[in-house]
Amino acid sequence: AAGVIQSPRHLIKEKRETATLKCYPIPRHDTVYWYQQGPGQDPQFLISFYEKMQSDKGSIPDRFSAQQFSDYHSELNMSSLELGDSALYFCASSKQGATTDTQYFGPGTRLTVL
Amino acid sequence: AQSVTQLDSQVPVFEEAPVELRCNYSSSVSVYLFWYVQYPNQGLQLLLKYLSGSTLVKGINGFEAEFNKSQTSFHLRKPSVHISDTAEYFCAVSRSVSNYKLTFGKGTLLTVNP
């Protein structure tokens, strides 16, 4: 079965640079979530989108922005990168309204800020 | 708001021994409960979920969990563990099955020794 695809899998950036992370949800899934997992930490919710509209917002810094496109893929844009942004960024997708479906996670993008 | 407490940050066990990973939650509304597993340097994989119905839920890899509403617990169990079960296990809650953010516990590192 198709899974959530994230690209790139690894990304190395310098401080103050920008980064763009991409997420391709499972086919027919209409909701995308972004989570950030710092070293040795639990995943923290950043932001979610349903049908291309932002549906919820968590602890996402103002330097970050995200959107969901017409093909349901999503991009997380991160500017003025800081050392503390080094983390594993997960995307998850789900089908809203499905009584038995749930969030399925991608493999993550490991961002290292030097 | 929801919160999740995983009572043990690390659980070392010997191969073929039984294991229980504890999870308690707090919420003012009904929640849905999940266990995810994260192998080293990998993404999050859904082990099992409780949505409704039978309080005993069976998941993949021989794991099961029991929902106890009065104790607000959702402990994960396996009768006999293998070396390959060594991983980080996260308990998570959500207000909705498919369109609401997950709130994770801090995780429990299960280490299975020969």
Side-chain angles (χ1 to χ4, degrees):
Chain A
V4 177
I5 297 172
Q6 291 188 247
S7 69
R9 294 292 309 277
H10 301 273
L11 191 57
I12 299 175
K13 291 286 185 179
E14 300 277 344
K15 278 174 53 177
R16 292 180 287 279
E17 286 191 321
T18 61
T20 297
L21 279 54
K22 297 184 179 182
C23 169
Y24 298 86
I26 291 171
R28 292 181 296 283
H29 279 194
D30 50 21
T31 307
V32 168
Y33 312 79
W34 286 97
Y35 294 84
Q36 177 192 57
Q37 185 181 29
Q41 302 296 313
D42 56 298
Q44 294 288 321
F45 171 73
L46 292 178
I47 196 167
S48 63
F49 292 88
Y50 166 65
E51 287 289 347
K52 292 147 278 183
M53 299 289 288
Q54 181 181 307
S55 55
D56 198 3
K57 192 173 181 180
S59 49
I60 182 170
D62 292 339
R63 300 176 289 106
F64 294 6
S65 65
Q67 58 181 322
Q68 186 180 31
F69 295 85
S70 57
D71 64 351
Y72 295 103
H73 94 272
S74 178
E75 295 183 4
L76 177 65
N77 298 292
M78 310 159 72
S79 62
S80 303
L81 287 169
E82 302 174 355
L83 296 178
D85 295 329
S86 294
L88 195 52
Y89 290 84
F90 288 110
C91 171
S93 74
S94 70
K95 173 68 176 171
Q96 188 170 0
T99 57
T100 58
D101 210 341
T102 185
Q103 293 183 36
Y104 293 94
F105 283 76
T109 294
R110 185 170 296 281
L111 172 66
T112 302
V113 181
L114 302 175
Chain B
Q2 298 88 238
S3 66
V4 178
T5 302
Q6 291 184 243
L7 298 161
D8 306 296
S9 59
Q10 297 186 53
V11 173
V13 295
F14 288 108
E15 194 173 18
E16 297 183 9
V19 70
E20 177 180 82
L21 306 184
R22 297 179 293 169
C23 171
N24 287 88
Y25 68 93
S26 170
S27 177
S28 57
V29 298
S30 295
V31 294
Y32 300 95
L33 295 152
F34 307 83
W35 275 99
Y36 284 86
V37 60
Q38 185 176 33
Y39 298 102
N41 299 312
Q42 293 192 28
L44 293 162
Q45 181 181 4
L46 180 66
L47 265 182
L48 48 79
K49 58 189 176 186
Y50 173 77
L51 306 181
S52 64
S54 173
T55 57
L56 183 62
V57 179
K58 293 190 184 297
I60 63 172
N61 301 339
F63 284 93
E64 63 180 34
E66 185 154 21
F67 170 61
N68 188 321
K69 189 174 182 179
S70 62
Q71 301 286 328
T72 61
S73 67
F74 190 54
H75 301 331
L76 181 71
R77 301 186 185 100
K78 186 170 182 177
S80 176
V81 294
H82 302 289
I83 299 283
S84 59
D85 291 324
T86 295
E88 188 87 29
Y89 292 79
F90 290 97
C91 181
V93 300
S94 173
R95 260 174 40 187
S96 166
V97 173
S98 61
N99 64 345
Y100 197 74
K101 64 184 178 186
L102 288 166
T103 299
F104 288 88
K106 295 296 184 186
T108 297
L109 177 61
L110 173 65
T111 304
V112 182
N113 298 301

